[in-house]
Amino acid sequence: MCGLAATLCMGQRDAILVPEVSQHEVQVQQGFTGTELLLFGAILDPSGRRAGQEYDIVVVLKGPAQAIRLREKEKVGGIWINAGSSDFRSVPSFFAVASSRPVEEIVDEKTAAIFEFGTRYIQLSPSGIIDPVTQSRFVDGLIDLKERQGLYDENMSGVRVSEGVLYQARIDLPSNVVTGLYTAETFAVANGRVIASAETEVVVEKVGFERSVAEAAENNALAYGLFAVLLSLGTGWIAGRLFALI
């Protein structure tokens, strides 16, 4: 009985997270050069007071998942051609991790893999039969490509915790982000264990002329394609006539 009571009391002392984000809606329009999201919040005990111990904080921001086919190029006879390929069923279009300390100092590798505390722990869901060595090469290539595009990022000192209560992290969204629903997950970690987690959402959407074009392309693909072809031909013809007059 005493043991049960002690267990319940310990559970009641576990921290809770109260997360917030500076923008719940990011509008993408002409001239959009990216934006910075501020993810912040508080670490409290269940009664709403300051938590009774120090916690590390890890923040994971993920964009909408996509299916991707990654192709590997090979040089044959001086010409680059497509060689092998690998399919991934669920690739986050955007992935960023920020933590108060390096993740390897906070949790073990198994825990980091469960909660995706880093780009090497992203659950990409590869499909098809492929040997592990080749699969690992494709995974590394995919992550490297996303990092060079500014869509994947790690900052292992990117979370600042103030007086053991308030935390904040800044994550950049580049101009080439995919529209859709983004999830920001915050984790409180102590003694190598995830004690609490909370999630908030951010919607990235196109507005104005860009939204109209995107909706036209999606809802009337044939008409949009024909219009694009005619516009290209018309622009080329006008440019040719102008050069002829010079």
Side-chain angles (χ1 to χ4, degrees):
M1 188 69 176
C2 292
L4 177 60
T7 302
L8 291 174
C9 289
M10 288 178 65
Q12 290 173 351
R13 290 198 298 268
D14 283 348
I16 59 173
L17 289 166
V18 184
E20 190 51 87
V21 63
S22 58
Q23 301 179 65
H24 284 283
E25 182 178 317
V26 176
Q27 297 183 344
V28 178
Q29 53 189 332
Q30 186 175 6
F32 178 72
T33 58
T35 189
E36 181 186 72
L37 290 181
L38 173 63
L39 287 75
F40 61 97
I43 316 162
L44 305 172
D45 70 9
S47 66
R49 295 174 297 186
R50 173 177 174 171
Q53 69 179 97
E54 298 294 324
Y55 293 91
D56 282 297
I57 296 294
V58 181
V59 175
V60 180
L61 179 64
K62 291 192 287 189
Q66 302 171 312
I68 287 181
R69 170 169 289 180
L70 189 67
R71 297 186 182 277
E72 187 176 43
K73 290 191 177 293
E74 183 177 337
K75 196 171 186 179
V76 178
I79 301 174
W80 288 98
I81 63 172
N82 289 328
S85 66
S86 181
D87 293 322
F88 298 90
R89 294 189 300 270
S90 182
V91 177
S93 56
F94 180 88
F95 186 92
V97 175
S99 58
S100 52
R101 286 191 295 153
V103 166
E104 60 270 17
E105 298 179 10
I106 299 175
V107 296
D108 58 28
E109 191 164 342
K110 180 180 178 180
T111 303
I114 291 173
F115 295 101
E116 297 182 288
F117 286 171
T119 54
R120 67 187 177 120
Y121 301 116
I122 301 175
Q123 298 170 14
L124 298 171
S125 301
S127 61
I129 300 174
I130 189 169
D131 71 89
V133 175
T134 304
Q135 186 67 69
S136 178
R137 188 172 73 250
F138 275 104
V139 169
D140 291 343
L142 174 60
I143 292 174
D144 177 66
L145 178 63
K146 290 287 190 179
E147 287 176 340
R148 286 188 281 113
Q149 292 173 340
L151 296 172
Y152 281 13
D153 184 50
E154 292 182 351
N155 186 349
M156 295 308 171
S157 60
V159 177
R160 188 175 68 182
V161 182
S162 303
E163 300 181 357
V165 180
L166 304 177
Y167 70 86
Q168 67 173 18
R170 298 178 184 275
I171 295 178
D172 291 325
L173 288 180
S175 59
N176 56 334
V177 290
V178 173
T179 57
L181 182 65
Y182 286 61
T183 59
E185 296 178 278
T186 305
F187 302 88
V189 183
N191 301 319
R193 295 192 308 117
V194 173
I195 303 300
S197 65
E199 182 179 300
T200 187
E201 297 178 341
V202 178
V203 176
V204 179
E205 63 178 355
K206 292 182 178 180
V207 296
F209 177 72
E210 286 76 11
R211 179 171 183 172
S212 300
V213 171
E215 289 178 347
E218 182 176 348
N219 300 327
N220 301 286
L222 179 60
Y224 176 81
L226 290 173
F227 174 75
V229 171
L230 292 174
L231 181 63
S232 297
L233 291 173
T235 303
W237 181 82
I238 291 173
R241 297 295 297 173
L242 290 175
F243 276 113
L245 294 175
I246 296 176

